[in-house]
Amino acid sequence: MTHAMVKGSNVPLNAMAVRAVLRWTPGAGVPDVDASALLLGPEGRVRSDEDFVFYNQPRHPSGLVRRLPKKQVPEGLTDTVEADLAALDPSVDQVVLAASSDGASFQHVHDLRVLLYDAGQADGDPLAVFDVRPETGEETAIICGELYRRGNHWKFRAVGQGYPTGLIGLATAFGISVDETEGADGSAQGPDGSEGETALIPSPLAANAGQAPPAQQPQFPGQQQGQSGYGYPQPAAARPAYGYPQPAAAQSGYGYPHAPAPGPQPPSAPPLPQVAPAYGYPQPAAAAAPAPDPNFRLPPMGPQFVRP
């Protein structure tokens, strides 16, 4: 029996795994539509960025929620998400089923509906059908429905809540980390300057680029003025021999000729040549290396909002 859902209604599910099919009618001026899913914990937020299944991250690490390829059917185009509800971790309380449009709002998308099937059956009527209609017409992302736990059972609720901020606004509303770089016109840009490319996780190295050097280290008890503590450079008189550059007169000669020792040389000893420092110590540089580019930034890390 198929349940015709209205906004806000819910229905219990007996299926152990479900297939949510998003379907719409393509045509001139109709934007492309993408299905996505978010796995939420008890607080209504994702546990990590891996809990977001979308076109650039089509499979959850657990393998229990995945996005299938789009299909052309007689009724239109479909984009599908499958979820194995019985095997999901107990920390997952909800699976949000959403849709996002590319290039235009949902007022230009016709006959949008979500059909929920028992994934254990190859054929058969849908368990529930919900016609998704935008409320304002300016939505570029819509929560079509949600699968949620009630005790040891699962239910499906028809939602129909829209966001005018697209997939990025939907993701951040549920706790996804988004690093967005704006161009001169205010549009989102990626590391190569292309529009629409947004990383989920900012690079900590890029975030620290160009910052001022750290402040002077504090003095500790028993530490002489001007002398740094363990792990920091010390004045030459206090440096231990092992692991630090030594003056030419004190450096070891293992594997290399010795530098001349201080003091007078025996008359029979020929003068020792001036040579490079000994094995295992830094060699003098001919010139200082050029300073790093202060504008250098690593590209953003993590999944990207770039449609394939």
Side-chain angles (χ1 to χ4, degrees), residues 54-167:
F54 68 116
Y55 47 75
N56 271 350
Q57 190 167 266
R59 187 182 182 89
H60 190 264
S62 67
L64 301 177
V65 180
R66 59 178 182 153
R67 182 175 178 265
L68 303 182
K70 293 182 178 180
K71 289 185 179 180
Q72 179 81 52
V73 297
E75 297 84 358
L77 278 175
T78 67
D79 201 4
T80 304
V81 172
E82 282 189 347
D84 188 345
L85 302 177
L88 279 176
D89 190 272
S91 62
V92 178
D93 276 5
Q94 300 178 52
V95 178
V96 171
L97 304 172
S100 58
S101 61
D102 179 47
S105 64
F106 272 101
Q107 67 177 335
H108 302 286
V109 179
H110 307 295
D111 306 318
L112 181 66
R113 60 169 36 186
V114 58
L115 304 97
L116 196 68
Y117 292 88
D118 185 344
Q121 299 180 4
D123 299 316
D125 295 332
L127 304 175
V129 176
F130 174 46
D131 291 328
V132 184
R133 296 183 177 89
E135 294 180 337
T136 67
E138 300 301 320
E139 296 91 343
T140 50
I142 296 180
I143 299 176
C144 301
E146 61 183 15
L147 306 162
Y148 63 99
R149 290 185 193 266
R150 278 299 178 265
N152 296 326
H153 303 284
W154 285 84
K155 290 187 173 184
F156 173 72
R157 178 185 291 120
V159 179
Q161 177 183 347
Y163 293 79
T165 49
L167 191 62

Side-chain angles (χ1 to χ4, degrees), residues 170-219:
L170 175 69
T172 54
F174 289 101
I176 297 293
S177 302
V178 176
D179 177 30
E180 185 176 355
T181 303
E182 292 189 355
D185 58 351
S187 60
Q189 290 188 340
D192 58 354
S194 60
E195 291 190 3
E197 187 165 339
T198 306
L200 293 178
I201 306 175
S203 168
L205 293 180
N208 293 332
Q211 291 185 358
Q216 184 177 359
Q217 297 296 326
Q219 298 293 313

